Amino acid sequence: MDHSITRHRLLYESFSRFSTYLSKADGIDEIISVMKTNLKYLFDFKVFRVLVVHDDASRTLTFFSENRDVLIEEFKMLPYEKALLENQIPFSKKYDPALFNQQLPNANWKNAKLWGWFYEYNDLKIGVSIVSDDTKVFDYKNIQILNMFVDSLAVKYERQLLSDQLVRKNDNLEEALDLIERKNRQINKIINQQKSIIELRTKSIREKNEKLFELSSLNAHQLREPLTRILGLLTIADVFTAEDLKDKILNNIKVSAEEMDHTLREVIEKSANEIKSLSVKSHENE
């Protein structure tokens, strides 16, 4: 079998495996893990870098062939990536060791080249750059697989962004509902406090009304009755003799006057006690 056919078959099998794992990935971290595991089976590279731009936010993922940790950076683009976003023109040029000198200080690559491509999907922009050399060869034959790779990544990334947005909206909705519930509890607490205050004030007014009714009853009946008798006796006093007046009328007037005096004292005492009680309650409420 032709070597190139075998290589392409293995390459497409690797891509199929990558697509399967990518579709099952849950979250950005798992997407990055799938890429790190499968990139080496899809491409020959020294450095494989992905730039993702969405809603003015950018993230770069840098994979190294020496099985290093993935370098993840937010809002940090290299100069050539900024140019790629602006002109959107693919390029292939000589690699500048200064680009990754901090991560690869001792890299000694022969005929190293830097490749770059731009892709756009709705609101998602993706830039892919690859560093290859004579030992890790990347050429134009690999671009078809690269395009398929980026298409799969873009679809998954867009779905993940949508999922994250839904989670955030649900979180915001739950926060709003929680806030409403807390406010309702505060309102109910205020209402209950107001009810208690109203009940206390209503009770106080009821008690005052009862006291006023009691004092009014004393004035209307117990005080009015002896006064009426005195007035009646005075009205008929003219028809009695001096002796009868002394024996009958004056004695009855005395009894009624003493009764009226007793009632007046009772009214005055109760009024004074009520005024004192109201004064004490007023100070307590203050």
Side-chain angles (χ1 to χ4, degrees):
M1 182 181 292
D2 186 84
H3 176 72
S4 62
I5 296 177
T6 302
R7 182 176 181 279
H8 278 85
R9 181 177 61 81
L10 293 175
L11 188 59
Y12 279 96
E13 287 178 356
S14 297
F15 179 77
S16 177
R17 187 165 52 251
F18 161 75
S19 298
T20 300
Y21 291 147
L22 186 65
S23 65
K24 296 178 181 179
D26 184 15
I28 298 298
D29 290 342
E30 288 191 16
I31 292 175
I32 294 173
S33 178
V34 170
M35 293 173 64
K36 179 181 178 181
T37 302
N38 290 272
L39 273 174
K40 58 187 176 183
Y41 301 113
L42 297 173
F43 309 105
D44 284 333
F45 62 88
K46 290 293 186 177
V47 180
F48 192 100
R49 185 172 166 94
V50 179
L51 165 67
V52 181
V53 180
H54 182 264
D55 288 343
D56 297 325
S58 65
R59 171 184 288 150
T60 55
L61 312 173
T62 308
F63 302 85
F64 301 95
S65 61
E66 287 82 1
N67 199 27
R68 296 170 177 266
D69 291 334
V70 181
L71 177 62
I72 304 172
E73 297 172 300
E74 307 287 344
F75 298 100
K76 187 174 181 180
M77 287 186 279
L78 296 175
Y80 75 82
E81 289 173 322
K82 294 179 181 179
L84 183 61
L85 286 180
E86 290 177 1
N87 57 44
Q88 304 179 11
I89 300 175
F91 65 83
S92 173
K93 61 183 180 180
K94 184 178 179 181
Y95 167 67
D96 180 3
L99 287 176
F100 301 104
N101 184 59
Q102 185 175 355
Q103 293 81 21
L104 304 168
N106 299 317
N108 186 18
W109 303 331
K110 293 183 178 180
N111 299 320
K113 293 178 65 175
L114 174 66
W115 304 72
W117 296 266
F118 173 84
Y119 302 85
E120 187 169 10
Y121 305 84
N122 301 317
D123 296 330
L124 185 67
K125 297 178 181 179
I126 296 179
V128 176
S129 51
I130 296 175
V131 178
S132 63
D133 71 347
D134 290 346
T135 61
K136 295 287 186 178
V137 180
F138 183 92
D139 58 31
Y140 292 102
K141 297 177 182 178
N142 304 113
I143 293 179
Q144 183 178 3
I145 288 294
L146 177 66
N147 291 338
M148 295 169 59
F149 168 85
V150 177
D151 287 343
S152 298
L153 177 62
V155 170
K156 183 62 180 181
Y157 209 93
E158 284 186 314
R159 288 180 180 177
Q160 188 60 49
L161 289 174
L162 179 60
S163 176
D164 292 343
Q165 289 175 358
L166 291 175
V167 170
R168 286 195 296 271
K169 288 182 179 179
N170 286 336
D171 290 341
N172 292 336
L173 179 59
E174 290 179 1
E175 289 177 3
L177 292 175
D178 183 60
L179 177 61
I180 293 172
E181 185 178 350
R182 291 200 305 271
K183 293 298 182 183
N184 284 336
R185 286 199 297 267
Q186 291 176 0
I187 292 171
N188 289 333
K189 184 178 179 180
I190 292 172
I191 291 174
N192 290 333
Q193 289 174 343
Q194 290 177 338
K195 284 182 178 179
S196 299
I197 293 172
I198 291 172
E199 289 174 358
L200 289 174
R201 290 180 178 174
T202 303
K203 180 181 178 183
S204 176
I205 292 171
R206 190 183 298 114
E207 291 175 351
K208 290 177 183 178
N209 288 338
E210 289 174 356
K211 295 292 183 182
L212 291 173
F213 179 77
E214 184 180 351
L215 293 173
S216 176
S217 178
L218 287 173
N219 287 326
H221 300 289
Q222 292 173 260
L223 187 61
R224 182 67 180 173
E225 185 178 347
L227 178 60
T228 302
R229 288 199 303 269
I230 291 173
L231 292 173
L233 290 170
L234 291 175
T235 302
I236 63 174
D238 292 340
V239 300
F240 288 89
T241 63
E243 186 177 348
D244 288 338
L245 186 64
K246 180 180 179 181
D247 292 341
K248 297 179 180 180
I249 301 300
L250 291 179
N251 187 52
N252 287 331
I253 289 176
K254 180 182 178 182
V255 171
S256 295
E258 288 175 349
E259 184 179 342
M260 188 170 65
D261 179 65
H262 175 75
T263 302
L264 279 172
R265 290 177 183 275
E266 186 178 354
V267 170
I268 291 171
E269 182 181 357
K270 287 187 176 182
S271 297
N273 290 336
E274 183 61 21
I275 291 172
K276 183 179 179 180
S277 174
L278 293 175
S279 177
V280 170
K281 288 181 179 180
S282 176
H283 286 301
E284 289 178 350
N285 291 334
E286 290 176 357

